[in-house]
């Protein structure tokens, strides 16, 4: 099966993680460059405390790891741009990420698989800054997310979609109770959603059972 153009989101971002060891054996090969990039197909969202961080553009990049063990790829760069938090200007800064894309299940010998399950784990070093009504509010986002890879046999481009379900993202290190009041709290759980078109420089990432 083919895991073409590559989180995070990830992310994502940015951002765009699949968990632990897969239930079934698998092998990853790559006919193109092991460098992979992902560009968001549209707006990506981070939801926490009933409020939404929306970013108009996002991209991720990393390296594919051919072989038979997780992670199948490492996301080493992620960005989100033109963002707002429920109408307040916001920004996302990601520093030296090493997020891990892991295979979970769903690989078959069909080159058109559209439901390959995975996770993006080790999400960290994400700083969100909001210019809110009471001042500047900052906080970190850490955790993991579930994702689905669509192989599409290269037709119309391969993609990965980060799911809002099954996320373990958590808010921490909020800078100030007063400037963040009503926006977000430490310990809030968060979800991320977004789809990314993947590019491995004219190649295909193949995931075989």
């Amino acid at each position: 099966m083919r895991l073409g153009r590559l989180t995070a989101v990830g992310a994502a971002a940015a951002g765009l993680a699949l968990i632990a060891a897969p239930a079934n054996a698998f092998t990853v090969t790559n006919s193109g460059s092991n460098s992979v990039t992902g560009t968001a197909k549209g707006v990506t969202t981070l939801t926490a405390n009933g409020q939404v961080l929306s970013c108009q553009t996002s991209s991720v990049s990393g390296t594919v790891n051919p072989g038979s063990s997780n992670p199948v790829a490492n996301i080493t760069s992620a960005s989100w741009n033109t963002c707002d938090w429920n109408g307040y200007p916001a920004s996302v800064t990601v520093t030296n990420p090493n997020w891990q894309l892991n295979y979970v299940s769903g690989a078959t010998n069909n080159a058109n698989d559209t439901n390959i399950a995975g996770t993006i784990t080790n999400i960290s070093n994400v700083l969100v800054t909001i210019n809110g009504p009471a001042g500047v509010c900052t906080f970190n986002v850490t955790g993991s997310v579930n994702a689905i890879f669509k192989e599409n046999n290269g037709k119309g481009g391969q993609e990965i979609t980060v799911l809002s379900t099954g996320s373990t993202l958590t808010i921490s290190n909020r800078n100030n109770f007063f400037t963040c009041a009503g926006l977000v709290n430490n310990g809030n759980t968060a979800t991320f959603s977004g789809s990314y078109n993947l590019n491995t420089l004219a190649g295909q990432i193949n995931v075989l059972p």
Side-chain angles (χ1 to χ4, degrees):
M1 133 168 266
R2 301 174 183 177
L3 206 187
R5 298 154 64 189
L6 178 121
T7 2
V9 218
L16 5 77
L18 290 175
I19 312 174
N24 304 303
F26 70 97
T27 299
V28 175
T29 63
N30 184 24
S31 61
S33 167
N34 284 339
S35 296
V36 62
T37 60
T39 303
K41 298 175 63 177
V43 175
T44 60
T45 59
L46 176 77
T47 303
N49 198 33
Q51 301 189 55
V52 180
L53 171 73
S54 299
C55 294
Q56 301 301 309
T57 63
S58 175
S59 63
V60 296
S61 64
T63 305
V64 178
N65 304 317
S68 300
S69 62
N70 280 323
V72 299
N74 291 87
I75 299 172
T76 56
S77 177
S79 66
W80 285 267
N81 298 290
T82 315
C83 304
D84 73 84
W85 180 275
N86 272 31
Y88 298 111
S91 63
V92 180
T93 303
V94 182
T95 305
N96 299 323
N98 186 23
W99 307 345
Q100 299 176 345
L101 176 63
N102 305 289
Y103 169 77
V104 173
S105 64
T108 75
N109 290 314
N110 185 342
N112 293 305
D113 286 344
T114 59
N115 196 33
I116 302 172
T119 60
I120 302 171
T121 57
N122 200 40
I123 297 173
S124 59
N125 299 334
V126 179
L127 175 67
V128 177
T129 302
I130 306 167
N131 292 310
V136 176
C137 171
T138 64
F139 58 87
N140 295 120
V141 181
T142 59
S144 66
V145 294
N146 291 334
I148 293 294
F149 172 74
K150 295 182 179 180
E151 179 184 56
N152 295 331
N153 196 23
K155 298 176 180 177
Q158 297 183 318
E159 64 184 71
I160 190 166
T161 297
V162 180
L163 305 176
S164 60
T165 57
S167 170
T168 67
L169 296 177
T170 303
I171 304 301
S172 63
N173 298 322
R174 183 192 61 185
N175 68 322
N176 186 286
F177 173 80
F178 296 102
T179 58
C180 292
L183 299 178
V184 68
N185 300 302
N186 285 332
N188 284 156
T189 58
T191 61
F192 178 86
S193 62
S195 294
Y196 291 76
N197 287 323
L198 306 178
N199 188 342
T200 55
L201 302 182
Q204 296 284 327
I205 303 169
N206 304 311
V207 183
L208 303 173

